[in-house]
Amino acid sequence: MVDIATRVHNHKWKIDPIVRSLIDTDFYKLLMCQSVFRNKPDTTVTFSLINRSADVPLAKMIDEGELREQLDHVRSLSLTRGESTWLRGNTFYGKRQMFRSDFMEWFEGMRLPPYTLERRGDQYELTFEGKWHEVMLWEIPALAILMELRGRAVLHQMGKFELEVLYARAMAKLWEKIERLRDLPDLKIADFGTRRRHSYLWQDWCVQAMTEGLGEAFIGTSNCLIAMKRDLEAVGTNAHELPMVYSALAPDDAALARAPYDVLADWHEEHSGNLRIILPDTYGTAGFLKNAPDWLAGWTGIRIDSGDPATGAETAIDWWKSRGEDPTEKLVIFSDGLDVEKIEELSHQFHGRVKASFGWGTLLTNDFRGLAPNDALAPFSLVCKAIAADGHPTVKLSDNPEKAMGPESEIARYKRVFGVGEQQRFEVVV
Amino acid sequence: MVDIATRVHNHKWKIDPIVRSLIDTDFYKLLMCQSVFRNKPDTTVTFSLINRSADVPLAKMIDEGELREQLDHVRSLSLTRGESTWLRGNTFYGKRQMFRSDFMEWFEGMRLPPYTLERRGDQYELTFEGKWHEVMLWEIPALAILMELRGRAVLHQMGKFELEVLYARAMAKLWEKIERLRDLPDLKIADFGTRRRHSYLWQDWCVQAMTEGLGEAFIGTSNCLIAMKRDLEAVGTNAHELPMVYSALAPDDAALARAPYDVLADWHEEHSGNLRIILPDTYGTAGFLKNAPDWLAGWTGIRIDSGDPATGAETAIDWWKSRGEDPTEKLVIFSDGLDVEKIEELSHQFHGRVKASFGWGTLLTNDFRGLAPNDALAPFSLVCKAIAADGHPTVKLSDNPEKAMGPESEIARYKRVFGVGEQQRFEVVV
């Protein structure tokens, strides 16, 4: 029997929307959004989408009209009643009412602000300008849309059967990874793969695979919609945009030097426990930790997001020891370019020395490497970053100069202020 | 939207039938059935199911009641109008009305005869006794039912997700084989995998994969139901049961020595072209060819179904040459225990020397080796053979003593009559 109504209904869609919910986004975006809504409600920020993979000519592959339709669709979304209820009533990190009433009231009425889209050669220039707490919510859907539209352009050329085999292969590939991860003692791992996922449905499948395959070792997903639908923990803390914008707003070098700590002081006031996670690499991990106030050493953990992860973790361990803290009580979250080999390696290296946990991103939700002709579905390096705040350019140094961004003169100034010298380069895979 | 009616309907089934059609069987069974219906309508034959893999305790794995339900269901089947129309109206091997009216009229009214089922230790004894042309139609459904019930017993222990990954892996595995086969020049390959398939749905998927992946190189399926549904060629010629039963009926040694040729004389009268395929190994290929009448050398080809396939093909080539035939005009069909490596090897070895074609069986439709814990889904060696005709035991020698069957004294007699000496042993995989 054919479900005629469903078929007819499916054919009524003018487009197949990629992002269908405002909470199809990373949990930390909402946490940061609330924080900005409270602490920096008047700051104007510009976000810009940057394709670091010049060999993927997005503007040649993706029709501009189609891209606009998808972006416009996201602008038509508002928080549904069920989503609002979940955000208001659910427990996050063991806490009820994580999101305050004034924030929720604003969020319920929020629509995403306009975007600016222009074609430049074979790439698109996509920017968002507006109130920080509004434009910041564009980052994840914009990335997911570009990544999925590029995937669709490739999938469009494939037959029904090739598609079936493609997904069969991708499933088998992920499951083999999961079977390897099962063998790791005391593993804690979460899905951090929303932004550069292959597609929403695929991410949802990956999360279910992790749930079924890893049991307790799978501690949640950063994707709020999937967390809600699959009754999982929503996880994530904060990101570089906080120190980047705070720093851009600093009136002088002294204020700039203080900015990354000011951010965390605001955060300290709002959050406790497992939400107190330091992200130390925005302007170089070593300097950040050396100059950090003592109350920061009391925080729960650190997230390592650039540079050599083992080096980053060793630096953190040394730092905690130097501040009289017990590293075995501390959490180290690895989240940069992880795949199963790296997870195994780090898990073995730090087992018993710290509480390690893993935020597995693109190579969880988009490891289509080797699965399509010419590797046309391999993930690529797409980012969407705050590039200016109240007219001042933002800067990121990172622990990998390949990930640095900002005007050259400002980068030089930041390096001076934060005492960053020569840095080792690491290839950015995804 | 949920298709409620379909769900309710699905839950009405008391069992999930494995064989749902009388033409869910091998094409050669129907050809042989028609031949027997004409030439030996009064012969009584006993078929017996034999599990050559003692390490698979079928009676421990499969509930007897469930097995009976499946067998009873097949007995309830009769040819549908659409199936009859297809058999009557379709072109097989380029010929219309392959099946004569008198045969079709009989077939339309036919129901499968009773079976005898007993448990012996950890195995079942399943036998079918009756008119040859009726009991012979039990072979394929009986094998498919046992194989699929054993699979279901294993699948029953697996979670929804494990199942999804299992099939994803099986799909990826088959597709890799198909991609390798694509590289073979002038490949001709058919599905011969009905009897020991993993399941009907899986065989149907495999056939579609071959169709999509190999194009013209995929020349058809032996499964009539799938051929009908997927609009493919139904392929197959004849099998060992013909010479085995003819030989068992032979009144003396002289008649026995003639019997394998008498079978083919009857076949010669009925069929031409690509249906004139010699199956020479029932009582040893070498002797069979040496003593064969000259008109047999004029036949279109040979099927190699036991022993070392390359040796068998070389023997055939030498024989054709000795009879003044051009081997490059002849067809060699390989059909014994094939997998992709063997197909590649034989394809390269005989390319340009004969017209080679491949009947790919169990490792096409049931290669679940390595896909379940303890390899519990690996195919095993199950056969269903004519063991007696009008009270006389049948004998098969084959080109591999591991495949020989019959009472010891009769085997000795057959070896003497057909001049079969020492034979090389080959492991029977499936």
Side-chain angles (χ1 to χ4, degrees):
Chain A
M1 281 174 252
V2 175
D3 180 348
I4 303 173
T6 299
R7 276 177 75 155
V8 172
H9 177 76
N10 286 344
H11 280 94
K12 283 196 311 190
W13 286 94
K14 267 172 56 196
I15 61 164
D16 178 8
I18 289 171
V19 173
R20 297 177 184 217
S21 158
L22 282 184
I23 67 164
D24 181 9
T25 193
D26 279 337
F27 179 68
Y28 76 178
K29 272 282 164 182
L30 300 187
L31 281 188
M32 290 191 292
C33 183
Q34 173 169 253
S35 181
V36 170
F37 178 78
R38 173 153 92 171
N39 300 310
K40 303 278 179 197
D42 300 320
T43 306
T44 295
V45 169
T46 307
F47 270 77
S48 174
L49 189 126
I50 299 144
N51 178 10
R52 295 193 287 214
S53 308
D55 57 319
V56 180
L58 288 177
K60 275 168 85 175
M61 305 181 76
I62 298 170
D63 177 69
E64 186 176 328
E66 227 176 305
L67 174 55
R68 286 185 184 275
E69 278 176 336
Q70 290 292 347
L71 296 168
D72 292 343
H73 181 78
V74 185
R75 289 200 65 210
S76 78
L77 296 172
S78 64
L79 209 60
T80 70
R81 192 160 158 174
E83 291 162 356
S84 174
T85 302
W86 181 75
L87 286 174
R88 285 172 180 270
N90 193 40
T91 303
F92 300 101
Y93 284 88
K95 180 179 168 186
R96 268 202 200 286
Q97 288 175 304
M98 175 70 81
F99 297 101
R100 291 184 305 275
S101 281
D102 62 333
F103 172 73
M104 284 307 302
E105 269 156 43
W106 165 80
F107 194 25
E108 281 160 2
M110 201 273 312
R111 300 283 181 121
L112 282 178
Y115 59 88
T116 309
L117 177 66
E118 272 182 74
R119 188 176 168 151
R120 283 261 191 283
D122 290 340
Q123 299 295 340
Y124 285 117
E125 249 185 45
L126 179 58
T127 51
F128 311 94
E129 194 178 331
K131 292 285 173 222
W132 186 8
H133 51 286
E134 289 178 3
V135 287
M136 71 189 299
L137 295 177
W138 261 117
E139 177 185 355
I140 310 299
L143 290 170
I145 284 170
L146 262 300
M147 193 55 86
E148 190 164 341
L149 280 181
R150 178 272 209 156
R152 286 186 184 179
V154 176
L155 298 171
H156 205 70
Q157 331 262 328
M158 297 172 77
K160 176 166 174 278
F161 219 85
E162 280 181 291
L163 289 172
E164 190 166 15
V165 171
L166 173 77
Y167 287 106
R169 281 180 167 172
M171 285 177 184
K173 191 176 187 185
L174 176 57
W175 195 253
E176 265 156 47
K177 294 187 186 186
I178 288 173
E179 287 187 331
R180 281 174 63 177
L181 292 178
R182 271 184 187 160
D183 297 334
L184 294 176
D186 305 318
L187 177 71
K188 296 288 169 205
I189 191 162
D191 158 37
F192 275 21
T194 300
R195 68 190 59 207
R196 283 191 287 267
R197 68 191 180 197
H198 170 75
S199 73
Y200 172 75
L201 288 177
W202 178 246
Q203 182 184 16
D204 190 37
W205 193 92
C206 294
V207 167
Q208 291 173 77
M210 297 280 277
T211 307
E212 175 107 3
L214 293 180
E216 294 291 302
F218 180 56
I219 57 176
T221 170
S222 63
N223 186 294
C224 298
L225 183 61
I226 294 175
M228 181 177 84
K229 278 183 53 183
R230 303 290 170 198
D231 209 7
L232 295 166
E233 291 293 323
V235 296
T237 55
N238 56 60
H240 298 107
E241 70 176 283
L242 290 181
M244 284 167 72
V245 172
Y246 272 61
S247 299
L249 298 175
D252 54 42
D253 288 359
L256 174 58
R258 270 196 322 270
Y261 308 108
D262 291 347
V263 174
L264 299 186
D266 283 349
W267 198 263
H268 191 89
E269 235 175 81
E270 279 186 272
H271 300 295
S272 57
N274 279 357
L275 283 173
R276 287 188 177 163
I277 302 295
I278 305 167
L279 180 65
D281 67 325
T282 316
Y283 305 118
T285 295
F288 177 89
L289 292 179
K290 198 178 68 182
N291 300 319
D294 273 334
W295 55 265
L296 256 188
W299 273 33
T300 309
I302 259 184
R303 181 157 73 92
I304 313 285
D305 201 44
S306 62
D308 173 58
T311 306
E314 296 291 359
T315 306
I317 288 171
D318 291 344
W319 175 67
W320 279 315
K321 284 183 182 165
S322 76
R323 301 288 177 111
E325 299 283 335
D326 176 4
T328 64
E329 295 295 312
K330 297 292 185 181
L331 188 60
V332 172
I333 302 175
F334 297 101
S335 65
D336 182 33
L338 293 176
D339 203 3
V340 71
E341 292 79 15
K342 185 55 83 180
I343 295 169
E344 287 171 339
E345 191 186 310
L346 292 168
S347 185
H348 290 133
Q349 184 170 349
F350 293 99
H351 187 249
R353 298 178 58 207
V354 292
K355 297 180 188 165
S357 107
F358 299 89
W360 196 8
T362 310
L363 295 179
L364 166 60
T365 62
N366 198 0
D367 191 1
F368 280 66
R369 293 174 300 177
L371 300 185
N374 306 317
D375 224 357
L377 285 175
F380 59 100
S381 193
L382 198 64
V383 294
C384 184
K385 292 286 181 192
I387 56 163
D390 285 350
H392 309 290
T394 65
V395 170
K396 185 183 172 190
L397 298 179
S398 170
D399 285 330
N400 177 4
E402 295 290 329
K403 282 186 163 186
M405 40 171 293
E408 222 172 301
S409 62
E410 285 296 291
I411 287 184
R413 175 178 160 238
Y414 275 62
K415 281 192 163 185
R416 176 172 50 73
V417 168
F418 291 104
V420 173
E422 199 64 28
Q423 290 177 301
Q424 195 187 337
R425 285 181 188 274
F426 299 90
E427 192 195 353
V428 177
V429 182
V430 283
Chain B
M1 279 174 254
V2 175
D3 180 347
I4 303 173
T6 299
R7 276 177 75 155
V8 172
H9 177 75
N10 286 342
H11 280 93
K12 283 196 310 188
W13 286 93
K14 268 170 57 197
I15 61 163
D16 179 6
I18 288 171
V19 173
R20 297 178 182 215
S21 158
L22 282 184
I23 67 164
D24 181 9
T25 194
D26 280 338
F27 180 68
Y28 75 177
K29 273 283 163 179
L30 301 187
L31 281 189
M32 290 191 292
C33 184
Q34 173 169 252
S35 181
V36 170
F37 178 78
R38 172 152 92 170
N39 300 310
K40 304 276 178 198
D42 299 319
T43 306
T44 295
V45 168
T46 306
F47 270 77
S48 174
L49 189 126
I50 299 144
N51 178 11
R52 296 193 286 214
S53 308
D55 58 317
V56 180
L58 289 178
K60 275 169 85 176
M61 306 181 77
I62 299 169
D63 178 68
E64 186 177 328
E66 227 176 304
L67 174 54
R68 286 184 185 276
E69 279 177 337
Q70 291 291 346
L71 296 168
D72 291 342
H73 181 78
V74 185
R75 288 200 67 208
S76 79
L77 296 172
S78 62
L79 208 61
T80 71
R81 192 162 159 170
E83 290 161 357
S84 175
T85 302
W86 182 75
L87 286 174
R88 284 172 180 272
N90 193 41
T91 303
F92 300 102
Y93 284 89
K95 179 177 168 187
R96 264 199 206 287
Q97 290 176 304
M98 174 71 80
F99 297 101
R100 292 185 304 275
S101 280
D102 60 335
F103 172 73
M104 285 307 302
E105 268 156 44
W106 165 80
F107 195 25
E108 280 161 2
M110 201 274 310
R111 299 284 179 118
L112 282 179
Y115 59 88
T116 309
L117 176 66
E118 271 183 75
R119 186 176 169 152
R120 284 261 192 278
D122 290 341
Q123 299 295 340
Y124 285 117
E125 248 186 44
L126 179 56
T127 51
F128 311 95
E129 194 178 331
K131 292 283 172 222
W132 185 8
H133 52 285
E134 289 179 4
V135 287
M136 71 190 297
L137 295 176
W138 261 117
E139 177 186 354
I140 310 299
L143 290 169
I145 284 170
L146 261 301
M147 193 55 90
E148 189 164 343
L149 280 181
R150 179 273 210 152
R152 286 186 184 179
V154 176
L155 299 171
H156 205 70
Q157 331 263 329
M158 298 172 77
K160 175 166 174 281
F161 218 84
E162 281 180 290
L163 289 173
E164 189 165 17
V165 171
L166 173 77
Y167 287 105
R169 281 179 169 174
M171 286 177 184
K173 191 176 187 185
L174 176 58
W175 195 253
E176 265 156 48
K177 294 186 186 185
I178 288 173
E179 287 187 330
R180 281 174 63 178
L181 292 178
R182 272 186 186 158
D183 297 334
L184 294 177
D186 305 318
L187 177 70
K188 295 289 168 204
I189 191 164
D191 158 37
F192 274 20
T194 300
R195 67 191 59 208
R196 282 192 286 267
R197 69 192 180 197
H198 170 75
S199 73
Y200 172 76
L201 289 177
W202 178 247
Q203 183 184 15
D204 190 37
W205 193 92
C206 294
V207 166
Q208 291 174 75
M210 296 280 278
T211 307
E212 175 107 4
L214 294 181
E216 293 292 302
F218 180 56
I219 57 175
T221 170
S222 64
N223 187 295
C224 298
L225 183 62
I226 295 176
M228 181 178 85
K229 278 182 53 182
R230 302 291 170 198
D231 210 5
L232 295 165
E233 292 293 323
V235 296
T237 56
N238 55 60
H240 298 105
E241 70 178 281
L242 290 182
M244 283 166 73
V245 172
Y246 273 61
S247 299
L249 298 175
D252 53 41
D253 286 0
L256 173 60
R258 272 196 320 271
Y261 307 109
D262 291 346
V263 173
L264 300 186
D266 283 349
W267 198 263
H268 191 89
E269 234 175 79
E270 279 187 271
H271 300 296
S272 57
N274 279 357
L275 282 173
R276 287 189 177 163
I277 302 295
I278 305 167
L279 181 65
D281 68 325
T282 316
Y283 304 117
T285 296
F288 177 89
L289 293 178
K290 196 177 72 185
N291 300 317
D294 273 334
W295 54 265
L296 256 188
W299 273 32
T300 308
I302 258 184
R303 180 156 74 92
I304 312 285
D305 201 44
S306 63
D308 174 58
T311 306
E314 295 292 359
T315 305
I317 289 172
D318 291 344
W319 175 66
W320 278 315
K321 284 183 182 164
S322 76
R323 303 288 177 113
E325 300 282 336
D326 177 3
T328 63
E329 295 295 313
K330 297 293 185 180
L331 188 60
V332 172
I333 302 174
F334 297 100
S335 64
D336 183 32
L338 293 176
D339 203 4
V340 69
E341 292 78 16
K342 185 55 81 178
I343 295 168
E344 288 171 340
E345 193 186 309
L346 293 168
S347 185
H348 290 131
Q349 184 171 347
F350 293 99
H351 188 248
R353 300 179 56 208
V354 292
K355 297 178 186 166
S357 111
F358 299 89
W360 196 8
T362 311
L363 295 178
L364 165 60
T365 60
N366 198 0
D367 191 2
F368 281 66
R369 293 174 301 177
L371 299 185
N374 305 317
D375 222 359
L377 286 174
F380 59 101
S381 193
L382 198 63
V383 293
C384 185
K385 292 286 180 191
I387 56 162
D390 285 349
H392 309 289
T394 65
V395 170
K396 184 183 173 191
L397 298 179
S398 169
D399 285 330
N400 178 4
E402 295 289 329
K403 284 186 162 187
M405 42 171 291
E408 222 173 298
S409 61
E410 285 295 293
I411 289 184
R413 175 178 160 236
Y414 275 62
K415 280 192 162 181
R416 176 172 49 73
V417 168
F418 291 105
V420 172
E422 198 64 29
Q423 291 178 301
Q424 195 186 339
R425 286 182 186 274
F426 299 91
E427 192 196 354
V428 178
V429 182
V430 284

